[in-house]
Amino acid sequence: MSQDGSKQTVGDVMSRPVVTASSGETVAKAAERMRERHVGSVVVVDGDLPVGILTERDLVRLSARGADASSDRVGDWMTPDPDSVPSDADVAAAFASLAERGYRHIPVVDDKQLVGLVSMRDLMRIAAIQPADSIATDVPRGLEGVVVAETTIGDVRGLEGFYHYRQYNAVELAEKRTLEDVWYLLFEGALPTLAERQRFEAEVAPLREIPTEVADALPEIARLGADAPPLDMLRTTVSLMSATLGFRPSLDVDAPELRSQALRVCAVVPTLLMAIYRLQRGEQPIAPSPELPYAANYLFMLDGQRPDPEHARAIEQYLISTIDHGFNASTFTARVITSTGADLGAAVVGAIGALSGPLHGGAPSRALAMLDAIGTPDRADSYLREQVSSGQRLMGFGHRVYKTDDPRSTMLRGVAERLGGEKTEFAKLVESTAVQVLAELKPGRKLYTNVEFYAGVVMDTCGLPREMFTPTFAASRMIGWCAHVLEQAADNRLIRPSADYVGPPPPQPVPEL
Ligand code: ACO
């Protein structure tokens, strides 16, 4: 309802004029127009009739595949025949249609003429004028959709398939910047200049060395946990390191000290991980190379070989794309622990624990194991059907927030295609079959590929062993966790929610024995 009580129509809230493109023009020209006009999509028209839609997501796909935007045509990358709504349609109905199908934008068409565009942003405007008397104090199970804090670090827009670090599209950062740049962005709030990048690289490279007390204890830790996942051993060593370096409660340390602890932990985690992995196999750890950037050094410490630059860049892109992702379970864990004033080590150790679960970060090796179990393309459909019908979850599919393509999976599919190989082709076939099977057997749940599916393929192609998939994720996410610890500590209030008690009514008399 509008404020005067009349029903709101799409025409009342749509944006116009619409930014359009023709299918024959180059993607680069259309993208430039999107940037200039600050819009996330252009409607592709033939005369006044919409024939397609080109979105930021299509631009990401294009650049991830290494295609040339200055020669490729809009018609090659657009989604053809987009659904449309008439301007006199009820806003609630249009909203249901957007939410149901996961669209970000719908062209508004009257008498075969494009008259506007209705977007999530338009619908948010409506949300803002709706009465607020329906706000409930009970929250959904799993805290789905509940806003628990304000942050300037980044966010995820699930229906749009978009996420960002600070004010930048995270996928674009992964395409254009180094990991150190994005690390700097999260810690300092702005992207570095060239001079700042060099200073930052020089500041963090020496911090990769493992402190002596921890290095001395590592062989024994690896021996005791010889068969344990390296991530569990990382938990132990980070805890030990924060104790030996004397990390004090975040409540008692100032911002510069907390920042330097955070830098230390983020820099040393890759070294710890590779040292643990090698020691568990009876091999000596390889010292970090201060000349190599983060990602190349990470691969170098695996076997002492300078990595193929293509592999180093692919891993760097994976790492950048997983640095942060809204208030996911592990990030929330880090913030809850920091909110108690506990030290930074405690916060990130808790976060590692949360990440290790298969419903969070523990999925990529399972996704690859699923590819192995399927074995050949002809078995994909029957295998996936069987799994879903028997109540199993397909690893690498589904997401709490994304109800459309996970932009990280789109990007990593492009990275996997760039690297090439049979596994990528097979994974693509399994992916499309799985999405079809899930749509058929779990209708309406909107289950698409998540970051973990191609993460495994990319890491495997670059030579990382499966045991190191989730640990590698932990290494990049450590940067995000620490940025959140710094933000929480800078403006803290204890996070302490409540629960509904649903057990037998108290007080019951305590039985005497
Ligand atoms: N395969 C089959 N069915 C699925 C899947 C899946 N991968 N994911 C969700 N579903 C189904 C559920 O069975 C449920 O069906 P029902 O309505 O018949 O009971 C429905 O979809 C909703 O599931 P929920 O568990 O409520 O959805 P939620 O938002 O809690 O789940 C999660 C998100 C945990 C990621 C889920 O999709 C999943 O288990 N995926 C597989 C594991 C995975 O890939 N994890 C990595 C996540 S990405 C990350 O954390 C970095």
Side-chain angles (χ1 to χ4, degrees), residues 35-55:
R35 257 193 307 276
E36 275 168 5
R37 307 279 293 273
H38 302 289
V39 291
S41 66
V42 284
V43 178
V44 185
V45 287
D46 182 2
D48 280 330
L49 188 71
V51 293
I53 191 156
L54 184 82
T55 68

Side-chain angles (χ1 to χ4, degrees), residues 477-498:
R477 189 53 65 84
M478 187 63 69
I479 296 172
W481 292 331
C482 285
H484 279 274
V485 167
L486 299 180
E487 188 178 63
Q488 181 70 38
D491 183 18
N492 188 43
R493 181 151 198 256
L494 176 69
I495 299 174
R496 202 299 188 189
S498 303

Side-chain angles (χ1 to χ4, degrees), residues 141-142 144 322 325 328-329 355 357-364 366-367 387-388 391-403 406 408 438 441-453 473 477:
R141 263 160 65 80
E144 183 167 358
T322 49
H325 205 241
N328 58 82
L355 184 80
L359 301 189
H360 190 4
R366 291 174 187 236
Q387 291 287 304
V388 179
Q392 302 296 315
R393 288 178 178 230
L394 303 182
M395 290 294 142
F397 295 87
H399 197 272
R400 172 58 66 83
V401 182
Y402 290 124
K403 300 303 170 199
D406 179 336
R408 302 167 300 179
L438 287 168
L441 301 185
K442 292 275 174 185
R445 273 47 153 232
K446 302 195 191 84
L447 301 168
Y448 299 93
T449 324
N450 66 45
V451 60
E452 305 286 38
F453 187 71
F473 184 5
R477 189 53 65 84

Side-chain angles (χ1 to χ4, degrees), residues 30-356:
E32 196 184 323
R33 205 168 313 124
M34 281 160 75
R35 257 193 307 276
E36 275 168 5
R37 307 279 293 273
H38 302 289
V39 291
S41 66
V42 284
V43 178
V44 185
V45 287
D46 182 2
D48 280 330
L49 188 71
V51 293
I53 191 156
L54 184 82
T55 68
E56 278 169 343
R57 223 182 291 154
D58 299 318
L59 302 182
V60 168
R61 274 197 303 126
L62 177 143
S63 96
R65 292 226 184 124
D68 185 358
S70 61
S71 58
D72 278 18
R73 306 279 146 190
V74 167
D76 301 331
W77 290 94
M78 69 183 191
T79 304
D81 304 324
D83 276 359
S84 61
V85 279
S87 64
D88 59 1
D90 178 29
V91 158
F95 178 75
S97 151
L98 261 183
E100 173 65 24
R101 285 175 252 174
Y103 293 144
R104 193 174 160 197
H105 298 120
I106 296 191
V108 183
V109 176
D110 286 337
D111 299 329
K112 297 193 174 171
Q113 289 216 340
L114 178 69
V115 293
L117 189 77
V118 69
S119 67
M120 289 309 289
R121 220 175 291 155
D122 298 325
L123 295 164
M124 273 175 215
R125 264 180 15 216
I126 310 227
I129 56 170
Q130 273 185 351
D133 56 9
S134 59
I135 295 172
T137 48
D138 277 355
V139 294
R141 263 160 65 80
L143 297 184
E144 183 167 358
V146 176
V147 174
V148 293
E150 289 187 339
T151 180
T152 63
I153 294 170
D155 195 18
V156 182
R157 297 198 211 145
L159 285 176
E160 299 175 42
F162 172 76
Y163 74 118
H164 55 106
Y165 300 159
R166 305 286 182 190
Q167 64 271 46
Y168 302 108
N169 178 341
V171 170
E172 196 182 340
L173 285 168
E175 278 154 8
K176 296 186 174 159
R177 290 295 194 137
T178 66
L179 181 131
E180 281 83 352
D181 284 357
V182 181
W183 182 357
Y184 185 96
L185 171 70
L186 259 65
F187 274 42
E188 308 300 332
L191 281 168
T193 60
L194 214 49
E196 285 166 340
R197 172 195 281 177
Q198 282 161 358
R199 265 203 306 279
F200 187 67
E201 285 171 353
E203 183 182 9
V204 292
L207 305 179
R208 291 175 185 162
E209 296 287 342
I210 300 173
T212 316
E213 299 87 334
V214 181
D216 290 347
L218 269 186
E220 186 59 9
I221 291 174
R223 192 185 66 77
L224 290 170
D227 299 321
L231 198 63
D232 292 6
M233 297 297 98
L234 179 72
R235 222 169 47 205
T236 307
T237 50
V238 171
S239 185
L240 178 65
M241 197 183 91
S242 68
T244 57
L245 294 180
F247 287 5
R248 291 178 299 132
S250 59
L251 201 64
D252 300 334
V253 299
D254 59 16
E257 186 176 338
L258 204 58
R259 176 187 177 274
S260 75
Q261 291 174 359
L263 282 181
R264 187 79 170 95
V265 171
C266 294
V268 82
V269 158
T271 322
L272 285 173
L273 281 172
M274 285 303 180
I276 292 164
Y277 176 77
R278 288 183 62 86
L279 284 165
Q280 282 181 321
R281 271 147 202 81
E283 294 164 346
Q284 279 308 303
I286 292 165
S289 159
E291 304 95 60
L292 291 175
Y294 183 114
N297 173 58
Y298 186 58
L299 290 176
F300 169 75
M301 291 186 297
L302 178 65
D303 57 10
Q305 305 294 317
R306 268 181 176 261
D308 175 339
E310 280 283 319
H311 288 175
R313 180 61 186 149
I315 291 299
E316 182 169 52
Q317 287 184 294
Y318 165 71
L319 292 167
I320 294 173
S321 73
T322 49
I323 280 183
D324 187 50
H325 205 241
F327 263 56
N328 58 82
S330 56
T331 299
F332 186 49
T333 304
R335 289 193 76 129
V336 169
I337 297 175
T338 303
S339 86
T340 70
D343 70 82
L344 180 135
V348 298
V349 167
I352 296 171
L355 184 80
S356 65

